[in-house]
Amino acid sequence: MTKKEQLKKLNNQILKCHRCTLKLGCSNIVFGAGNPEAQIIFIGEAPGKKEDEIGVPFVGSSGRILDKMLASIKIKREEFYLTNICKCRPPENRDPLPEEVKECWPYLKKQIAIIQPKIIVTLGKYALNSFLPTAKISEVHGKIINVEIKKIGKIKLFPLHHPAAARINRKTKALFEEDFQKIPNLLKNKKEQ
Ligand code: SF4
């Protein structure tokens, strides 16, 4: 089975998921989008209002910031994959609860296992802490961290602030933009290895 077919199969499984109560309040399960062969996966927290309506990740205001940053480093849509740690929208855009993250984690893990990216870019503290529970985004943003994921193996994590946080705080925006500019070099280094 190709990676695309494996992701489709997983998506079909998730459509039937009721592991947590988030499913009750969402309009669409937002599985993920992008190239199944991508070298890089961006992982956010959970779908927002617009994402929930359309069923596609990062299409709202955070998505526009992300698009702008991706254009600034000349990374094309077909070069990456986008998803969230929780596939259903939390009510009123609240933060996902630890038990919701825990229930959805196996799906994210399967997506990573299928795509086998070289680099995982986490967006915001919830995505970071789903890999490294005690890490602080203020301390590790913009740094490569080697992590080992059970049954997947070693992978490089590159934590960034969430675009939504960058939107509301000028200092965070500057850090987010500065860190984002490091991505082309990370990809280049991986290709050369
Ligand atoms: S958030 Fe994840 S675990 Fe919860 S219902 Fe949706 S797909 Fe299932």
Side-chain angles (χ1 to χ4, degrees):
M1 228 191 285
T2 64
K3 289 184 182 184
K4 190 177 173 185
E5 288 164 343
Q6 291 178 66
L7 286 173
K8 189 163 174 38
K9 192 176 164 197
L10 179 60
N11 190 3
N12 289 339
Q13 281 173 18
I14 296 179
L15 291 177
K16 296 176 212 139
C17 178
H18 283 92
R19 281 193 197 178
C20 77
T21 54
L22 290 184
K23 178 68 173 289
L24 300 173
C26 77
S27 307
N28 279 298
I29 286 193
V30 182
F31 178 68
N35 185 354
E37 308 283 343
Q39 299 253 304
I40 182 164
I41 297 187
F42 290 87
I43 301 174
E45 289 173 17
K49 188 170 183 289
K50 197 79 185 166
E51 287 82 7
D52 179 59
E53 280 167 17
I54 300 177
V56 176
F58 290 98
V59 289
S61 52
S62 294
R64 283 194 292 279
I65 295 171
L66 194 61
D67 281 344
K68 199 173 143 203
M69 293 310 299
L70 288 162
S72 79
I73 58 171
K74 298 187 172 44
I75 291 196
K76 299 185 200 87
R77 278 259 161 193
E78 58 269 25
E79 289 180 82
F80 58 87
Y81 191 87
L82 289 168
T83 189
N84 286 299
I85 47 173
C86 281
K87 311 303 185 202
C88 300
R89 183 193 180 210
E92 310 299 328
N93 275 4
R94 67 156 168 77
D95 295 331
L97 301 173
E99 56 268 32
E100 292 158 354
V101 172
K102 189 173 163 223
E103 291 300 336
C104 221
W105 169 251
Y107 297 136
L108 178 62
K109 214 171 130 183
K110 278 186 193 160
Q111 280 175 303
I112 295 168
I114 293 168
I115 297 170
Q116 295 176 17
K118 301 290 181 263
I119 298 167
I120 292 174
V121 178
T122 54
L123 299 166
K125 66 176 179 177
Y126 288 93
L128 168 66
N129 291 149
S130 63
F131 292 90
L132 297 169
T134 57
K136 290 196 172 93
I137 186 80
S138 57
E139 292 172 2
V140 300
H141 70 88
K143 294 177 183 156
I144 277 282
I145 305 169
N146 292 304
V147 293
E148 178 131 21
I149 307 173
K150 211 172 164 190
K151 294 187 180 164
I152 293 178
K154 289 182 182 153
I155 204 151
K156 296 207 178 294
L157 207 69
F158 187 63
L160 295 183
H161 286 285
H162 197 280
R167 186 161 44 92
I168 56 175
N169 183 301
R170 201 181 295 176
K171 198 175 155 208
T172 306
K173 181 173 183 273
L175 293 172
F176 175 72
E177 290 178 355
E178 187 184 322
D179 291 342
F180 217 96
Q181 299 306 315
K182 298 176 186 171
I183 292 175
N185 261 344
L186 301 178
L187 284 173
K188 194 167 151 242
N189 291 343
K190 286 308 298 178
K191 277 176 192 163
E192 284 167 1
Q193 280 170 23

